[in-house]
Amino acid sequence: MCGIVGYTGNRPALPFLLNGLRTLEYRGYDSAGVELEDASGELLEVKCRGRVAALAGLCEGLDAHQTIGIAHTRWATHGEPSDANAHPHRDCSGRVAVVHNGIIENYQELAAELAERGHSFKSETDTEVIAHLVEEELAGAAEGDLALALSLAASRLTGSWAIACVSADAPGEILCARKGSPLVLASTADGAYAASDVTALAHVTSHVINLDEGGIARLLPSGEIRVFESDLTPVAEPGTFDIDWNASAATLGGYPDFMAKEIAEQPEAIERLLEGRLGDSGIVLDELSLTPEEIAAIDRIYIVACGTSWHVGLIARAYFERWAGVPTTVECASEFNYEEVLTTDHTLCVIITQSGETADTLASARKMRAVGAKVIAITNVLGSTAARESDGVIYVQAGPEIAVASTKAYTAQLVASALLALFLARANDSISLKEVRARYREMLRVPELIRIVLSRAWQDEVAARAFVDAGSSLFLGRGLSSTTAREGALKLKEISYLHAEAYPAGEMKHGPIALVEQGYPVVVVVPESPVRDKTISNLQEVNARGACVIALATNGDVRVAQLADYLLLVPPAPEWLSPVVDVVHLQLLARYVALARGCDVDKPRNLAKSVTVE
Ligand code: F6R
């Protein structure tokens, strides 16, 4: 949700800034801009509505010798996508420029106050108030000290922010501030860097500084970075971490798009996650800092997540309840934050978040910690806020996920949830070691099962024909497959813009069946399971009404084959693991439909990868 980069050093800044924006573009892509500063402090701004490619076009032929700059790719919150609303935003004098990710909740009152004192605004954004506040502080209490000016300005803000700021009054320096939105920094021999996440820094360093909540950082052209608390008390040893993948992991590597690459990477991601996870006494999860007694005592679980990660939670609930016997509630974070919670003395909150930065999910974790619950994060991003603010973290190690639609993180999070559930079940003695071993062995087969599905991508390409001219579609499943149906429908909606309604197959006759008419596409997820026969009855109900049935079924299921117009075949898998295998077909299907409808599968409209605003 908006990407920020900044650089001050001894090289021209523009190439890094544009490259950085390209890597962060998945965070937002409705407008982009850059502010360059030369050694004397003179500022040069280029910004426009549209993608980073449009900005790069405008920058062509520019005399871009400047070695200092900040840049931004936007996902609009306040003010439509337009040239004027694109970041950076400047103060009245044109001597201060800021880029910002987050939301300034009190911007209207600040803007009114600033306007009364004579400031004039050029955009409709919440961000612009920051530039004017810094301007006032520089001229007043801060007396030209940009760090002090930004710290005083930030103290007036409510909401969330990651800010990078330059000023002609402090040539060479970039000042950053962060609260609630991520920002990472890197100090190298070439200079100092800032970025919203590590993907933009992976090609310049493997060692990254995390700017803590409320922190301020001063980046100098020598590469030195000084980190402060919000009141400018120096932080002697800022938190750091190492990036454990190289920059090529975030490139296309011969694939036509990131979604294709990330779908294909699922077998290796799961192999990585499972490696070394079975020990003498059960599942090995050394990264959880809870004591065995605390784990064994857990008597209630809240799983909180958003979107695709919430779907992981719906399936994880079955794992926690079936194996560990612990009552489990699954909540959408955006709703949960406004609900009463019923905790016990031993409640565990599991947050599931690929990015580790989803604002609603983080707010839920904070709420649960405040009432005394322990929090475990399942996340993909090393050093993310979710990881740092939790009592334990399971990294799913799927590697950078760049396509906005989550694929490999989804399946890796499912497997991580299963590992956690088996771990809890063993700790509270609900399951034998023998059974843990049996379940682990089943998981080890998943990469191979997914490879078989990947080799059948042609089935999805063919089935995509049923959707190309459709106006809507229905996804049905029962039991765990009802969540697979939900996830398939979400993937289809978000990247192909085709309406897709997901429903538990048995509930369909209580309403959604009215949608079905001749040729209406209905995806029925009906792998081998205890509810297969019941699901086939539902399949027959839509079939009888002329639906075009796309059935996901197990190899050799002749009965389903006879009823379906298109078949997506999966190899036999244990029922509890079928969501991990089956969903791969639905990811492929969504991608083929989106391509056939001429959509950009990696950057769907209106969406952003990392939703850092509530
Ligand atoms: C859909 C998708 C989103 C995310 C959601 C939560 O494909 O990716 O629904 O799952 O925005 O994001 P994380 O997992 O980063 O908290």
Side-chain angles (χ1 to χ4, degrees):
M1 197 130 290
C2 298
I4 290 179
V5 277
Y7 170 75
T8 173
N10 53 26
R11 297 179 168 214
L14 189 61
F16 165 75
L17 296 175
L18 290 178
N19 259 336
L21 291 188
R22 282 186 199 104
T23 10
L24 294 181
E25 203 172 14
Y26 65 87
R27 302 177 69 89
Y29 31 85
D30 58 47
S31 41
V34 58
E35 190 85 44
L36 297 168
E37 185 189 87
D38 69 16
S40 66
E42 192 171 326
L43 297 179
L44 170 68
E45 183 180 273
V46 186
K47 61 183 189 175
C48 62
R49 185 194 164 137
R51 296 197 171 181
V52 176
L55 175 70
L58 288 180
C59 291
E60 263 171 36
L62 212 67
D63 173 20
H65 59 279
Q66 300 85 343
T67 58
I68 305 131
I70 54 176
H72 187 270
T73 177
R74 180 170 188 245
W75 186 87
T77 57
H78 294 75
E80 59 167 10
S82 67
D83 292 353
N85 289 335
H87 298 213
H89 292 287
R90 287 187 175 182
D91 68 331
C92 300
S93 69
R95 294 176 66 78
V96 173
V98 296
V99 291
H100 161 230
N101 166 23
I103 289 185
I104 306 305
E105 286 164 4
N106 60 340
Y107 85 100
Q108 277 168 320
E109 49 194 271
L110 289 171
E113 196 188 289
L114 286 158
E116 221 165 81
R117 292 201 290 270
H119 291 264
S120 66
F121 289 82
K122 298 180 199 67
S123 76
E124 303 150 330
T125 65
D126 53 336
T127 300
E128 196 181 337
V129 295
I130 304 170
H132 293 278
L133 286 172
V134 171
E135 173 191 10
E136 282 202 342
E137 299 297 352
L138 275 175
E143 296 176 357
D145 178 339
L146 187 56
L148 183 56
L150 183 59
S151 145
L152 292 171
S155 70
R156 302 287 323 276
L157 308 176
T158 57
S160 61
W161 56 86
I163 301 168
C165 171
V166 290
S167 165
D169 293 326
E173 292 184 13
I174 297 176
L175 263 296
C176 297
R178 152 175 198 220
K179 182 182 158 262
S181 296
L183 201 66
V184 288
L185 312 167
S187 166
T188 76
D190 294 332
Y193 297 82
S196 295
D197 71 46
V198 295
T199 48
L201 300 183
H203 65 290
V204 295
T205 184
S206 60
H207 192 63
V208 172
I209 300 170
N210 233 329
L211 187 57
D212 272 335
E213 195 61 3
I216 306 261
R218 189 167 173 214
L219 280 60
L220 300 170
S222 61
E224 188 187 345
I225 296 180
R226 296 186 194 150
V227 177
F228 307 91
E229 290 173 16
S230 56
D231 61 357
L232 294 185
T233 309
V235 175
E237 284 188 33
T240 60
F241 65 93
D242 290 328
I243 307 173
D244 65 348
W245 41 265
N246 67 32
S248 67
T251 62
L252 280 172
Y255 285 89
D257 49 74
F258 280 106
M259 188 177 185
K261 179 177 184 239
E262 289 158 11
I263 290 174
E265 284 173 344
Q266 293 178 100
E268 291 75 29
I270 292 171
E271 273 160 5
R272 237 182 349 257
L273 174 58
L274 287 175
E275 204 182 310
R277 293 292 183 181
L278 185 65
D280 290 342
S281 49
I283 297 299
V284 179
L285 285 179
D286 290 338
E287 53 271 66
L288 302 185
S289 52
L290 278 67
T291 64
E293 294 73 31
E294 282 171 332
I295 302 271
I298 289 164
D299 55 8
R300 181 164 192 145
I301 298 175
Y302 277 95
I303 303 177
V304 197
C306 296
T308 282
S309 295
W310 176 64
H311 292 164
V312 175
L314 294 175
I315 290 168
R317 168 174 50 202
Y319 300 159
F320 288 122
E321 292 192 338
R322 286 182 194 180
W323 295 330
V326 181
T328 303
T329 309
V330 190
E331 303 273 359
C332 294
S334 53
E335 294 292 324
F336 179 70
N337 293 334
Y338 309 99
E339 295 286 335
E340 293 280 313
V341 278
L342 296 173
T343 52
T344 62
D345 288 346
H346 304 287
T347 296
L348 174 70
C349 170
V350 179
I351 55 168
I352 305 176
T353 165
Q354 186 281 134
S355 61
E357 301 294 348
T358 299
D360 285 320
T361 307
L362 295 176
S364 306
R366 288 171 193 145
K367 168 176 169 159
M368 290 304 275
R369 287 195 86 184
V371 295
K374 294 286 180 193
V375 176
I376 291 178
I378 296 179
T379 184
N380 191 28
V381 179
L382 217 69
S384 56
T385 307
R388 285 182 291 123
E389 293 190 5
S390 298
D391 300 293
V393 55
I394 304 178
Y395 287 114
V396 299
Q397 304 170 50
E401 195 179 65
I402 308 292
V404 166
S406 184
T407 52
K408 62 177 179 175
Y410 177 74
T411 47
Q413 287 174 161
L414 284 174
V415 173
S417 308
L419 288 170
L420 180 60
L422 289 171
F423 181 78
L424 293 187
R426 193 66 203 114
N428 72 13
D429 228 0
S430 311
I431 193 173
S432 68
L433 186 54
K434 190 169 165 220
E435 189 177 347
V436 171
R437 288 193 178 126
R439 298 289 87 83
Y440 184 75
R441 274 197 302 274
E442 286 170 339
M443 280 193 269
L444 288 178
R445 287 187 50 234
V446 166
E448 198 41 46
L449 300 178
I450 292 181
R451 285 192 182 99
I452 294 171
V453 174
L454 292 173
S455 73
R456 296 174 181 171
W458 61 269
Q459 296 174 346
D460 302 282
E461 192 169 8
V462 172
R465 290 183 202 142
F467 298 83
V468 177
D469 298 319
S472 168
S473 59
L474 191 58
F475 281 63
L476 304 175
R478 277 177 181 254
L480 298 182
S481 295
S482 76
T483 300
T484 303
R486 273 180 195 266
E487 176 59 11
L490 176 62
K491 288 288 94 95
L492 189 70
K493 274 187 276 221
E494 65 178 327
I495 63 169
S496 76
Y497 317 143
L498 171 63
H499 175 250
E501 173 126 5
Y503 234 73
E507 280 290 296
M508 176 246 340
K509 54 186 166 298
H510 300 288
I513 198 167
L515 293 169
V516 177
E517 56 186 348
Q518 197 63 36
Y520 184 87
V522 180
V523 176
V524 187
V525 185
V526 55
E528 192 52 56
S529 84
V531 288
R532 168 183 165 272
D533 290 351
K534 298 265 177 230
T535 316
I536 291 179
S537 304
N538 304 129
L539 192 163
Q540 278 167 320
E541 288 156 9
V542 293
N543 210 7
R545 287 162 179 83
C548 173
V549 174
I550 302 93
L552 188 152
T554 308
N555 294 348
D557 192 333
V558 178
R559 208 163 141 223
V560 173
Q562 282 166 346
L563 295 166
D565 296 276
Y566 296 94
L567 265 181
L568 312 177
L569 288 174
V570 287
E575 177 259 359
W576 70 275
L577 277 171
S578 63
V580 192
V581 178
D582 299 354
V583 75
V584 177
H585 258 313
L586 302 189
Q587 297 166 348
L588 290 163
L589 179 66
R591 179 175 171 275
Y592 282 120
V593 176
L595 291 176
R597 289 165 66 98
C599 302
D600 179 340
V601 296
D602 283 347
K603 297 191 189 79
R605 70 182 178 208
N606 302 339
L607 290 170
K609 183 77 183 159
S610 186
V611 186
T612 54
V613 294
E614 287 182 5

